[in-house]
Amino acid sequence: MSEDITGQSRRIDVAAAQSGIEAESIKLRTRDLNVFYGSFRAIRDITLDFPTMQISALIGSSGSGKSTLLRTLNRMHDAIPGTSVTGQVLLDDQPIYGEDVDPIMVRRRIGMVFQRPNPFEKSIFDNVAYGLRFVGKMSRTEKRDRVEQALKQAGLWKEVQDRLDSSAFSLSGGQQQRLCIARAIAVEPEVVLMDEPTSALDPIATQNVEELMRELSEKFTIIVVTHNMQQAARVSHTTAYMTMDDDKSGVVVEVGPTGRIFTNPKDPRTEDYITGRIG
Amino acid sequence: MALTDAFSRSGGLRLRQRLQHGDLIFWLVALFFALLVVALLAIIVAVTWDGSDEARDTFGIIGFITSTEWNPVAGEFGAAPAIYGTVVSSMIALALAAPPAIMIGVFLSDLCPDRLRAPLSLMVELLAAIPSVVYGMWGVFVLIPFYRTFIASPLSETVGEYIPLFAGPVAVGRGLLVAGMILAIMILPTIAAVSRDVLTVVPTHQKEAMLALGATRWEVIRHAQLPYARAGIVGGMMLGLGRALGETMAALMVIGNMPRIEASLFQPATTAAAQIASQLPTTESDLHASSLILMALVLFLITLVANSIARLLVWNVSRQSGGR
């Protein structure tokens, strides 16, 4: 199984090279990754490459292990008792599950945006500035600059610049999600993980966030889990399709450049999923 | 009123059905017992109000709670020393108990290994099950000797010379501070249990948001959980305060029972509950008894206010945690 996937991931590299994207620049890799909740094996032997400054989408039906895979990439599962991980996750070729690796430092380099907007019960400014306290000491003006920059990158600055002191809960759902994105990028991570970032948003807000993702991919490596196949087709450069295979969850069926996955899937199961026959 | 509403809502046919199935009877029985609680509260207020008639006529409520003179033989009754002792000993208890209790709550909700959580929670809750007379006895035989030798005497002989708060003489050691210490141990489990409960219901998405920013475990607790649970923790503290205010036996055994207001925490004092319990069996006069009943009414009002605030705060937290 794993050989098969490795072979496929080599195929993307070729495809990526053909489409003019630098194939050798891989930010994050997984190698034979398995995650267990107790004795339940949630993802199996996953070997995937996530190219630098690109958007990679993970699609698949509920229970296929997409979110588990995503959360394994920045060690969010560490705090949950009974979770164990085998195999490797490499960030810039350094293992993040190494014995001497501090999960805190991993999360500072790999930020995360969640399914539901989850701002803190604080002002708009404080929400964005909150992560900066963990980065290190900085002057007040430096902090202001970082907050302003993050809000501009998140496309929220124009809407909130006159009310930075109002509560984050005074914003609409879509604005709150962009605020959470601003909060995540203010600490300047290298990778941003997004777990179904638009599933709680209306179509207009979804469109805003998708545009934002494309802009952010010029500075960050983005990995997004989505239930919405159109979204994966619209925003991502590469797509991986995950499924529950013969009652086994957490299997990557096929991975490749998004255009090819959606127009010319090689695996019949991928074709069934994207044409809506299952899912 | 509620009865007629129920009848008119149910209508004629439904009423017959309800009678047939016994639902109405069940409803009436349940309603009766529910109203009984309200009636009981009303009766207690009415009886204390009626019983304190003579004291209110003689001193007036304001005069009663502001007068510092309590002399049963001379017929002088002022509640100020007892109110002062009640409030100060409870405040000391709260100040001593809250920090460790909140730490216990944090440990039990987040840091404790799973295997230890249930037994440790049980032990903390068992602290609340110890009868207060046992606490009082422990105070007399263990805490007071320790406190006199290692806290009160050294402090009163050094800084006590300059700071009235710690002035001597210490004598046997009974007084406000040691009463506050006993009360602190007694209210610790209440605050710890409430803190644990409100910290446990902090939504995962708040903790994860903080974690994903690169926060350490301590930073997640400090910046995500404690602020979110703050109102509930304050509510737990108010519940503890309510218990300390009304606590009778333990305070009675260690506070020294002197109706005086002194600057020093080492001096004997009294609390409203202790004064009522110790004097009611041997009243000098009807006015004496009536004054004790009036004091009960005052104490009841103080604890009612403290508990109402507490319930409101805790209720707010549990209501919010459902929505977000």
Side-chain angles (χ1 to χ4, degrees), chain A:
Chain A
M1 192 64 184
S2 73
E3 277 169 36
D4 182 20
I5 286 162
T6 318
Q8 284 180 347
S9 70
R10 246 183 247 124
R11 231 177 291 143
I12 337 163
D13 290 355
V14 174
Q18 283 166 352
S19 64
I21 302 161
E22 276 193 49
E24 64 269 23
S25 177
I26 301 296
K27 189 73 190 172
L28 202 60
R29 304 167 193 271
T30 69
R31 289 292 172 260
D32 300 321
L33 191 68
N34 287 279
V35 177
F36 298 84
Y37 297 127
S39 60
F40 175 70
R41 193 172 174 189
I43 65 175
R44 288 161 199 271
D45 296 327
I46 291 185
T47 296
L48 274 179
D49 292 344
F50 299 101
T52 311
M53 310 279 198
Q54 287 200 19
I55 301 178
S56 306
L58 300 171
I59 61 168
S61 48
S62 298
S64 61
K66 319 180 288 295
S67 290
T68 298
L69 173 60
L70 193 76
R71 296 162 63 90
T72 308
L73 299 178
N74 72 339
R75 299 188 61 170
M76 284 298 280
H77 284 310
D78 278 21
I80 300 169
T83 309
S84 59
V85 174
T86 66
Q88 279 193 322
V89 178
L90 303 164
L91 175 63
D92 289 336
D93 294 323
Q94 300 297 310
I96 69 165
Y97 281 91
E99 262 177 31
D100 52 348
V101 178
D102 181 358
I104 309 294
M105 295 317 294
V106 170
R107 293 187 204 115
R108 282 180 194 169
R109 293 177 67 189
I110 307 180
M112 192 161 189
V113 175
F114 298 84
Q115 194 169 352
R116 270 175 57 192
N118 55 355
F120 303 128
E121 280 189 75
K122 310 222 168 268
S123 71
I124 292 165
F125 181 91
D126 285 345
N127 260 279
V128 182
Y130 227 70
L132 297 176
R133 75 180 63 211
F134 309 131
V135 176
K137 275 210 189 315
M138 59 178 71
S139 69
R140 192 170 293 180
T141 50
E142 199 181 344
K143 205 182 213 178
R144 276 205 81 87
D145 289 348
R146 291 276 289 262
V147 170
E148 183 179 334
Q149 195 195 347
L151 283 169
K152 278 179 175 162
Q153 283 180 335
L156 199 59
W157 178 251
K158 284 207 180 83
E159 292 154 66
V160 301
Q161 57 178 330
D162 300 324
R163 48 175 182 143
L164 290 173
D165 292 328
S166 351
S167 161
F169 288 107
S170 67
L171 298 172
S172 71
Q175 288 173 323
Q176 286 184 24
Q177 191 63 309
R178 279 182 285 148
L179 182 72
C180 292
I181 293 173
R183 181 177 66 188
I185 62 179
V187 297
E188 295 181 350
E190 296 152 47
V191 181
V192 180
L193 308 176
M194 297 186 172
D195 190 357
E196 298 182 36
T198 61
S199 65
L201 305 183
D202 64 53
I204 305 280
T206 298
Q207 199 185 341
N208 285 336
V209 169
E210 287 180 8
E211 276 166 25
L212 174 59
M213 285 164 69
R214 273 191 289 266
E215 285 164 27
L216 292 176
S217 68
E218 288 165 19
K219 281 198 70 181
F220 306 97
T221 300
I222 295 176
I223 303 168
V224 57
V225 161
T226 180
H227 267 301
N228 180 336
M229 279 181 282
Q230 284 75 34
Q231 179 168 71
R234 282 193 297 262
V235 301
S236 71
H237 302 95
T238 53
T239 298
Y241 169 57
M242 293 177 72
T243 188
M244 297 175 70
D245 185 37
D246 303 331
D247 297 333
K248 290 184 292 186
S249 62
V251 177
V252 171
V253 174
E254 185 169 2
V255 56
T258 300
R260 186 188 63 69
I261 291 279
F262 280 93
T263 54
N264 187 21
K266 294 213 161 36
D267 195 297
R269 290 171 294 176
T270 315
E271 189 170 356
D272 284 349
Y273 183 71
I274 60 170
T275 54
R277 247 168 278 168
I278 53 163

Side-chain angles (χ1 to χ4, degrees), chain A residues 71 104 108 118-119 133, chain B residues 205-206 208 214 219 223 324:
Chain A
R71 296 162 63 90
I104 309 294
R108 282 180 194 169
N118 55 355
R133 75 180 63 211
Chain B
H205 65 70
Q206 288 283 314
E208 287 187 336
E219 285 164 341
H223 295 295
R324 271 175 301 181

Side-chain angles (χ1 to χ4, degrees), chain B:
Chain B
M1 193 56 135
L3 246 162
T4 52
D5 279 355
F7 276 106
S8 60
R9 248 188 298 126
S10 48
L13 185 73
R14 301 255 315 272
L15 173 64
R16 209 169 62 227
Q17 282 174 335
R18 288 173 70 178
L19 273 171
Q20 271 172 355
H21 296 300
D23 271 6
L24 185 68
I25 295 161
F26 175 71
W27 184 80
L28 284 171
V29 171
L31 178 74
F32 171 76
F33 286 112
L35 289 179
L36 204 63
V37 176
V38 182
L40 208 60
L41 196 71
I43 289 168
I44 291 174
V45 172
V47 166
T48 45
W49 181 260
D50 186 55
S52 61
D53 198 35
E54 196 178 341
R56 274 184 290 114
D57 282 349
T58 315
F59 311 110
I61 291 183
I62 302 297
F64 181 70
I65 60 178
T66 52
S67 164
T68 58
E69 197 62 41
W70 184 276
N71 188 338
V73 181
E76 285 291 331
F77 299 102
I83 294 170
Y84 171 84
T86 305
V87 172
V88 172
S89 61
S90 299
M91 288 298 171
I92 293 171
L94 193 59
L96 292 176
I102 293 167
M103 296 305 286
I104 292 169
V106 167
F107 184 77
L108 289 176
S109 72
D110 285 283
L111 306 175
C112 187
D114 275 347
R115 268 178 307 150
L116 264 178
R117 184 170 290 131
L120 216 57
S121 286
L122 186 70
M123 301 255 271
V124 170
E125 276 158 27
L126 276 181
L127 267 185
I130 298 175
S132 61
V133 66
V134 177
Y135 273 111
M137 203 169 65
W138 181 79
V140 170
F141 292 126
V142 181
L143 186 62
I144 285 183
F146 173 84
Y147 154 88
R148 193 182 52 199
T149 318
F150 295 105
I151 300 173
S153 295
L155 272 178
S156 67
E157 284 157 22
T158 51
V159 291
E161 308 272 330
Y162 318 102
I163 304 172
L165 201 61
F166 301 117
V170 171
V172 287
R174 292 178 192 213
L176 263 182
L177 183 59
V178 76
M181 287 163 77
I182 286 278
L183 291 175
I185 301 168
M186 297 180 70
I187 67 175
L188 187 97
T190 309
I191 304 175
V194 173
S195 300
R196 177 199 59 197
D197 292 347
V198 296
L199 283 167
T200 310
V201 301
V202 173
T204 315
H205 65 70
Q206 288 283 314
K207 293 188 250 182
E208 287 187 336
M210 199 59 82
L211 210 57
L213 287 174
T216 63
R217 206 165 195 186
W218 156 243
E219 285 164 341
V220 171
I221 292 167
R222 162 79 184 76
H223 295 295
Q225 291 181 262
L226 286 177
Y228 199 93
R230 187 177 52 218
I233 292 173
V234 172
M237 287 166 63
M238 296 299 289
L239 276 181
L241 183 67
R243 182 167 183 211
L245 287 168
E247 173 50 40
T248 310
M249 204 57 212
L252 173 70
M253 290 166 81
V254 299
I255 202 165
N257 302 312
M258 300 287 247
R260 297 192 308 225
I261 297 180
E262 304 251 9
S264 172
L265 297 180
F266 298 145
Q267 297 308 309
T270 189
T271 70
Q275 197 157 14
I276 295 164
S278 61
Q279 297 189 7
L280 202 58
T282 56
T283 47
E284 301 281 336
S285 60
D286 286 351
L287 185 61
H288 188 185
S290 177
S291 298
L292 288 172
I293 293 169
L294 184 55
M295 190 180 282
L297 190 63
V298 171
L299 177 63
F300 177 55
L301 286 178
I302 295 174
T303 52
L304 194 70
V305 169
N307 275 300
S308 304
I309 296 170
R311 291 290 167 192
L312 211 64
L313 288 169
V314 175
W315 175 74
N316 255 330
V317 171
S318 43
R319 194 186 46 141
Q320 283 174 359
S321 61
R324 271 175 301 181

